[in-house]
Amino acid sequence: MIDKILVANRGEIALRVIRACREMGIRSVAVHSTADSDAMHVRMADEAICIGPPPAAESYLSVPAIISACDITGAQAIHPGYGFLSENAKFVQIVEDHSLTFIGPTADHIRVMGDKITAKETMAGLGVPCVPGSEGEVPTADAAQTIASEIGYPVIVKATAGGGGRGMKLARDRHELDVAFSTARAEAKAAFGNDEVYIEKYLGNPRHIEIQVFGDGKGNAVHLGERDCSLQRRHQKIFEEAPGPVIDEPTRTRIGGICADAVARIGYIGAGTVEFLYEDGEFYFIEMNTRLQVEHPVTEAIFGADLVREQIRVASGLPLSFTQDDLEINGHAIEVRLNAEKLPDFRPSPGRVTQYHAPGGLGVRMDSALYDGYAIPPYYDSLIGKLIVHGRDRQEALARLSRALGELIIDGIDTTVPLFEELLLEPDILRGDYTIHWLEEWLSYRTGEA
Ligand code: ADP
């Protein structure tokens, strides 16, 4: 069994992992840049070690610094959190080569799922429904025209190496396609150093539904239902809920079973998320994330399971602590992502938090690394906390979210809290009636009005 884990991350997710370690009697090691010497994860871990200057490329992304930190502290395993090195197959290979344990899937699985074409081919081969589109890379504008006329317009040109919504271009007809093809390639080349693109049918008004899966690396896997993450700004999720407002039990069992079976067959180990667009009752696979997701707490809330604990268990060679039959949904959970950003244009707003009070009470969980007097450094992601509420049903969860937002105090900086207060007044949100375009349309309508 692992008895010391190095947490290769910062902020709320580093705290999240440290908490699981503490409950399991495992020692934790925090790593930090010089900008994070006063960060809460540094205080909460059993040990802390500085790994470099503020820029992430020289600290949280520095593979030699992280491997050396394991050497110095005697940590046997690394938990990567999300972001940073969590889906970097080369890093995982190096960790394995140093006889350390990576708490996550194998380098091979990360590589297959990190490339969208091989991910789609693999999943299609395992019986997972995919968006109709090209078989693999589309090398020329002529080939793009042929495929698009076969699948029908509109189509979307996407980068194989894509992420964060970059390198994606919509084409409504054959004239738009030539431009979309060349700009998607240029953007992909600039952003990822790889100009390979592929083509998919563009879905007009889908929801984003993702399935949480867990494999033990020995050919067994379970699913923990879905999360609806359709509320997105610039393809970034901001509000997530479980169960999905439009998914019923037979649908959940069917798609969950397909996903669990697919990852079991490839011998997947650890937590994973199979992402789909969902339209007119059909699921279309878009990608698989081979890590713990930011929004994992809504799943934890409705299943009463600790997903980080399970990650550590399977990485240690232990079985999952539940079977599919043990997993039963209890109530409804919602998460909102709180960013240090100034509305209406979401400009980053780092700085000193003069006063902080976290909401509490029944069914409220605040995952945040903030404290009174903390100076948020300008170098990293603007996520400063996640507020998660759990109720017996969706209506109770919504009322609890509104109540908890009212209790939250973050003074000294601008945050996205007012956005959620406004969203909770919208009839569509209260009814759960929204798609992946809802938030952008609502935001542009409001900006236009102002
Ligand atoms: P990334 O890895 O860049 O986030 P994804 O493939 O996960 O890219 O897609 C991100 C978002 O782009 C989706 O959540 C959806 O909003 C939109 N999108 C992707 N593919 C399609 C498609 N075929 N039709 C319509 N929208 C799409």
Side-chain angles (χ1 to χ4, degrees):
M1 182 74 192
I2 296 164
D3 58 39
K4 198 188 250 193
I5 292 176
L6 181 137
V7 185
N9 217 301
R10 63 183 300 281
E12 67 85 22
I13 194 61
L15 278 190
R16 171 70 191 86
V17 177
I18 292 166
R19 286 174 173 144
C21 290
R22 178 97 5 112
E23 290 181 16
M24 296 174 82
I26 297 171
R27 291 183 61 78
S28 56
V29 178
V31 294
H32 66 92
S33 70
T34 50
D36 273 343
S37 307
D38 295 329
M40 191 54 89
H41 74 284
V42 173
R43 285 206 227 170
M44 289 289 161
D46 294 308
E47 290 170 56
I49 186 161
C50 182
I51 51 164
E58 296 167 50
S59 49
Y60 297 103
L61 290 169
S62 167
V63 176
I66 288 167
I67 300 289
S68 308
C70 285
D71 249 5
I72 294 165
T73 58
Q76 308 118 330
I78 299 177
H79 194 300
Y82 51 69
F84 291 136
L85 294 166
S86 61
E87 289 175 291
N88 184 320
K90 255 191 223 154
F91 171 65
V92 177
Q93 191 62 58
I94 293 168
V95 171
E96 288 169 3
D97 292 346
H98 281 77
S99 305
L100 296 164
T101 301
F102 179 75
I103 301 176
T106 60
D108 278 345
H109 286 149
I110 294 176
R111 205 171 291 120
V112 168
M113 296 304 167
D115 176 295
K116 296 199 174 191
I117 290 178
T118 55
K120 224 174 141 177
E121 276 168 6
T122 307
M123 286 308 214
L126 291 164
V128 175
C130 293
V131 192
S134 58
E135 270 177 38
E137 189 199 349
V138 178
T140 61
D142 282 348
Q145 290 289 354
T146 312
I147 289 151
S149 49
E150 272 166 32
I151 58 178
Y153 289 92
V155 297
I156 186 165
V157 186
K158 297 171 76 171
T160 311
R166 278 174 306 174
M168 256 190 282
K169 290 285 167 244
L170 169 68
R172 275 172 292 245
D173 55 43
R174 55 193 314 274
H175 305 290
E176 284 186 12
L177 183 58
D178 283 342
V179 182
F181 182 78
S182 53
T183 47
R185 272 188 96 134
E187 240 182 75
K189 178 89 188 160
F192 314 110
N194 174 352
D195 68 357
E196 242 179 64
V197 296
Y198 64 107
I199 291 186
E200 275 180 357
K201 174 128 194 90
Y202 178 78
L203 301 169
N205 231 359
R207 299 181 76 116
H208 174 113
I209 305 282
E210 55 184 37
I211 306 293
Q212 176 73 57
V213 291
F214 235 108
D216 67 359
K218 297 173 181 138
N220 308 301
V222 298
H223 73 86
L224 290 92
E226 77 285 358
R227 294 181 285 260
D228 189 323
C229 312
S230 302
L231 280 185
Q232 300 178 2
R233 176 177 173 268
R234 302 207 169 148
H235 302 300
Q236 301 292 317
K237 304 160 188 169
I238 63 149
F239 174 111
E240 303 103 347
E241 57 183 314
V246 297
I247 304 296
D248 60 17
E249 187 55 40
T251 307
R252 172 175 311 118
T253 304
R254 179 174 64 83
I255 193 70
I258 290 172
C259 293
D261 182 55
V263 298
R265 276 161 61 196
I266 59 171
Y268 190 80
I269 182 161
T273 297
V274 188
E275 296 194 337
F276 293 95
L277 296 175
Y278 178 72
E279 191 174 72
D280 298 331
E282 300 289 336
F283 287 92
Y284 302 95
F285 170 77
I286 46 172
E287 67 169 340
M288 176 165 180
N289 292 319
T290 51
R291 56 170 159 82
L292 189 71
Q293 304 263 109
V294 177
E295 58 272 23
H296 76 278
V298 291
T299 301
E300 294 189 323
I302 61 167
F303 286 102
D306 178 337
L307 296 190
V308 178
R309 182 189 183 95
E310 298 304 321
Q311 286 187 297
I312 297 172
R313 281 181 65 92
V314 295
S316 310
L318 296 171
L320 286 167
S321 63
F322 39 71
T323 64
Q324 191 69 58
D325 287 343
D326 298 330
L327 291 165
E328 221 175 286
I329 293 180
N330 170 20
H332 196 97
I334 303 174
E335 171 183 283
V336 294
R337 298 193 193 188
L338 309 175
N339 287 347
E341 287 170 353
K342 187 170 167 55
L343 301 169
D345 51 4
F346 297 87
R347 208 169 348 109
S349 151
R352 191 170 296 279
V353 176
T354 52
Q355 216 188 5
Y356 173 66
H357 171 77
L362 182 63
V364 175
R365 165 175 171 183
M366 183 77 188
D367 275 21
S368 171
L370 292 187
Y371 59 87
D372 276 341
Y374 175 58
I376 299 166
Y379 309 101
Y380 313 107
D381 195 88
S382 60
L383 183 80
I384 50 167
K386 306 183 310 204
L387 173 57
I388 305 105
V389 294
H390 182 214
R392 283 171 299 181
D393 53 28
R394 189 169 188 271
Q395 213 177 347
E396 191 172 81
L398 285 165
R400 197 155 275 160
L401 178 58
S402 170
R403 187 270 289 171
L405 283 168
E407 284 179 24
L408 174 64
I409 298 170
I410 304 174
D411 283 344
I413 57 158
D414 287 295
T415 74
T416 49
V417 168
L419 170 70
F420 298 110
E421 286 170 336
E422 273 192 61
L423 286 176
L424 286 174
L425 301 172
E426 286 295 329
D428 287 350
I429 301 298
L430 299 178
R431 277 197 306 267
D433 183 11
Y434 53 82
T435 69
I436 59 168
H437 303 300
W438 191 94
L439 183 63
E440 293 280 6
E441 280 164 15
W442 183 79
L443 285 168
S444 63
Y445 173 71
R446 279 173 71 264
T447 325
E449 230 183 15

